[in-house]
Amino acid sequence: MSLFGAQRLTWPWPGKEAEGWPVLQHVLATLTRTSPPSATPHSPTNPTPATEESSTRRLLTKGASTALQAEPTTVRITATGAPVDVSAVLLGRNGKVRSDHDLIFYNHPSHDGVRVGGDTVTADLGLVPDDVATIAVIVSIDLEAQSAAVFDQYTLWQAGITQPSGAQLSFAPGPFSSGETVTIAVELYRHTTGWKARAVGQGYDTGLAGLAADYGINVGA
């Protein structure tokens, strides 16, 4: 065993080196009054303690997606610069609403397992009907409160996604630059037999009318 310097010294271990090395450790610890290192290495049955990073919120980049549990899921929007409205749209597999009832907002706050309240959308994924493939969370400027506002470098939003099982996700898109007043923040969507969340960050400079046209919502109803 090489104890001092590069030269290897032969030590008359009882039971050879495999058994003798712990003995020498304790001898040296006694002479120097220090504690010997642990003889038990980290292994799958003795894992390294979790770091603080493992319990922090995961940041999603635009276009990224991640798996969710089929349980109540909360999407909370935090906005700065201008007042905003938060709503949700239930979409079928064709990317369109099944009926105008699939637009969930302050005047129609709950439908098919999805609820909107203030800055938060809550979706109980286990209760969403099978013919709903996607739940789109929408953030729009409250033009009645601030008619000239648009999303830009001063008016921003961030989406936080949480689940009881522990998922904590966050998405903040870059500043919008084309006069957008309506944005698709995130989507909760079916994937094979489960659910996933996707960071979207798509804006509309045509306002709610443009969004409604894409989703098949009859705004004149």
Side-chain angles (χ1 to χ4, degrees), residues 90 98-104 108-116 122 128-129 132:
L90 309 186
R98 301 165 300 169
S99 74
D100 291 339
H101 292 295
D102 286 340
L103 172 60
I104 306 169
H108 176 51
S110 180
H111 184 58
D112 280 348
V114 179
R115 174 176 295 276
V116 171
T122 303
V128 175
V132 173

Side-chain angles (χ1 to χ4, degrees), residues 66-73 123-126 163-167 194-197:
T66 189
L68 297 173
Q69 299 297 320
E71 62 186 17
T73 303
D124 192 337
L125 300 181
Q163 291 195 300
S165 59
W195 286 86
K196 299 186 83 171

Side-chain angles (χ1 to χ4, degrees), residues 15-39:
K16 299 186 178 181
E17 293 189 16
E19 297 178 16
W21 173 236
V23 175
L24 179 59
Q25 285 185 304
H26 283 281
V27 172
L28 293 176
T30 301
L31 294 175
T32 58
R33 297 184 179 180
T34 60
S35 298
S38 172

Side-chain angles (χ1 to χ4, degrees), residues 79-87 106 138-152 154-157 176 179-183 204 207-208:
T80 58
V84 300
D85 292 321
V86 177
S87 56
Y106 55 86
I138 311 301
V139 185
S140 55
I141 298 285
D142 183 351
L143 296 176
E144 291 186 359
Q146 199 164 326
S147 60
V150 297
F151 289 113
D152 55 19
Y154 306 110
T155 302
L156 308 167
W157 55 259
F176 294 92
E180 294 91 342
T181 58
V182 176
T183 59
Y204 286 81
L208 288 171

Side-chain angles (χ1 to χ4, degrees), residues 58 60 63-71 73 75 123 125 128 132-137 161 163 167 169 185-200:
R58 177 183 171 188
L60 297 178
S65 61
T66 189
L68 297 173
Q69 299 297 320
E71 62 186 17
T73 303
V75 181
L125 300 181
V128 175
V132 173
T134 302
I135 303 164
V137 177
I161 305 172
Q163 291 195 300
L169 310 170
V186 299
E187 291 176 341
L188 312 179
Y189 65 99
R190 294 186 188 274
H191 180 73
T192 61
T193 60
W195 286 86
K196 299 186 83 171
R198 176 165 44 228
V200 182

